[in-house]
DNA sequence: CGTATTTGACCGGCGC
DNA sequence: GCGCCGGTCAAATACG
């Protein structure tokens, strides 16, 4: 669709970011970075991360492995986490039926046969409000909208975003049992910046591209690491030179009773320097290194 | 032919 | 109470 925006050589994701409507702030000390840990996000000390530091990432893809992965024009990724008060996710599966309950689909009354539509769709809202799962937003400088992350996604919707010329796409993990969803949109401020928001946690190992071999071994390993050792909500990929900061609009303890809507953590990967400084090292679980 | 994407309508929450 | 807007559904369509 709108895949060809001009790539701005230098964007300040940090300053342009605006979502969840919060003020954000970046920080790099242990305390703050630990936030990521709270949600299972951790990053290896090596900038090469799962791919680069891997044994033979390029052995089969050549130096292009990364570019194939995602044409990240610049090493900059931001992770935004948005937690919400899950009102009794008495089953992020059943309650959030809208996520992927096959049965409801038929009853929810399609646009064509719009019956009372009071069935499934209604039941959902009736019982409990929309359930918000933890969300993580990656702000990535990329030419492509859809970044490979080791999982298979099926697009289920697209909407025009207010105040933005770029549409937002909605994807759902193709795994029938997985309720993870993600939104992909471009920053209205910086067309070259792609904002990918993951919601939920994969209940399966990534990789598994059914039709086989679309992702490299390293990607698989990487994704596996994430899913495995840290229970992160979704996979994602890095460019070879990445580092990160951690920021969040208002990571207030639940006690504040205010985090309800959006408590988010942003982790802009801006320069390798920070990596070298050990910023990441602090939040990298040992398990990360050996999967 | 099976699967993925497109696209307009529908639904619900929220602000005014 | 109303309108706006984000999010989702599902039929139609495209694609391999």
């Amino acid at each position: 669709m709108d895949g060809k925006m001009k790539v701005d050589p230098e964007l300040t994701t940090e300053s342009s970011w605006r979502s969840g409507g919060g003020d954000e702030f970046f920080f790099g000390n242990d305390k703050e970075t630990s936030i990521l840990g709270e949600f299972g996000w951790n990053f290896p000390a090596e900038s090469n991360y799962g791919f680069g530091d891997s044994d033979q990432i390029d052995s089969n893809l050549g130096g292009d492995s990364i570019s194939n992965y995602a044409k990240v024009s610049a090493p900059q990724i931001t992770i935004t986490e948005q937690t919400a008060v899950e009102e009794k996710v008495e089953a992020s599966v059943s309650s959030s039926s809208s996520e992927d309950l096959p049965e409801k689909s038929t009853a929810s009354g399609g646009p064509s046969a719009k019956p009372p539509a009071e069935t499934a769709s209604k039941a959902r809202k009736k019982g409990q409000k929309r359930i918000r799962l933890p969300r993580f937003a990656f702000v990535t400088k990329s030419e492509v909208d859809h970044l490979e992350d080791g999982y298979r996604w099926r697009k289920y919707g697209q909407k025009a975003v207010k105040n933005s010329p770029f549409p937002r796409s909605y994807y759902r993990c193709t795994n029938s049992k997985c309720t993870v969803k993600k939104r992909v949109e471009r920053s209205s401020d910086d067309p070259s910046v792609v904002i990918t928001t993951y919601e939920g946690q994969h209940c399966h190992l990534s990789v598994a591209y059914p039709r086989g071999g679309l992702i490299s071994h390293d990607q698989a390993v990487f994704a596996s690491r994430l899913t495995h050792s840290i229970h992160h909500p979704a996979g994602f990929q890095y460019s070879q030179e990445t580092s990160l900061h951690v920021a969040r609009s208002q990571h207030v303890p639940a006690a504040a009773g205010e985090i309800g809507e959006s408590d988010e953590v942003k982790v802009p990967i801006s320069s390798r320097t920070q990596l070298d400084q050990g910023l990441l090292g602090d939040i990298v679980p040992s398990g990360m290194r050996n999967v």
Side-chain angles (χ1 to χ4, degrees), chain A residues 6 10-11 42 79 101 123 127 151 156 175 184 236 249 253 274 282:
Chain A
K6 70 299 313 327
E10 49 186 7
L11 296 167
N42 300 277
I79 298 174
L101 277 193
Y151 289 91
Y156 67 89
N175 187 309
V184 177
F236 66 95
S249 56
Q274 275 120 21
D282 290 327

Side-chain angles (χ1 to χ4, degrees), chain A residues 48-72 144 146-153 198 202 204-210 212-229 232 234-240 288 291:
Chain A
N48 282 336
Y49 206 33
F51 310 138
D53 81 311
S54 266
D55 348 65
Q56 75 286 53
I57 177 168
D58 295 327
S59 60
N60 41 357
L61 293 174
D64 287 285
S65 58
I66 294 298
S67 52
N68 285 339
Y69 215 32
K71 309 212 176 133
V72 180
V144 297
H146 192 259
L147 305 176
E148 287 299 338
D149 54 18
Y151 289 91
R152 290 281 284 174
W153 302 92
Y198 290 94
H202 288 285
H204 57 95
L205 292 179
S206 58
V207 203
Y209 271 39
L214 290 185
I215 62 175
S216 71
H217 167 71
D218 295 285
Q219 292 174 337
V221 171
F222 171 63
S224 177
R225 286 181 180 179
L226 292 174
T227 302
H228 245 238
S229 53
H232 82 308
F236 66 95
Q237 74 289 325
Y238 271 8
S239 61
Q240 288 200 46
M288 204 59 177
V291 169

Side-chain angles (χ1 to χ4, degrees), chain A residues 71-86:
Chain A
K71 309 212 176 133
V72 180
S73 57
Q76 189 154 52
I77 298 175
T78 294
I79 298 174
T80 298
E81 166 208 328
Q82 305 178 357
T83 326
V85 251
E86 338 241 309

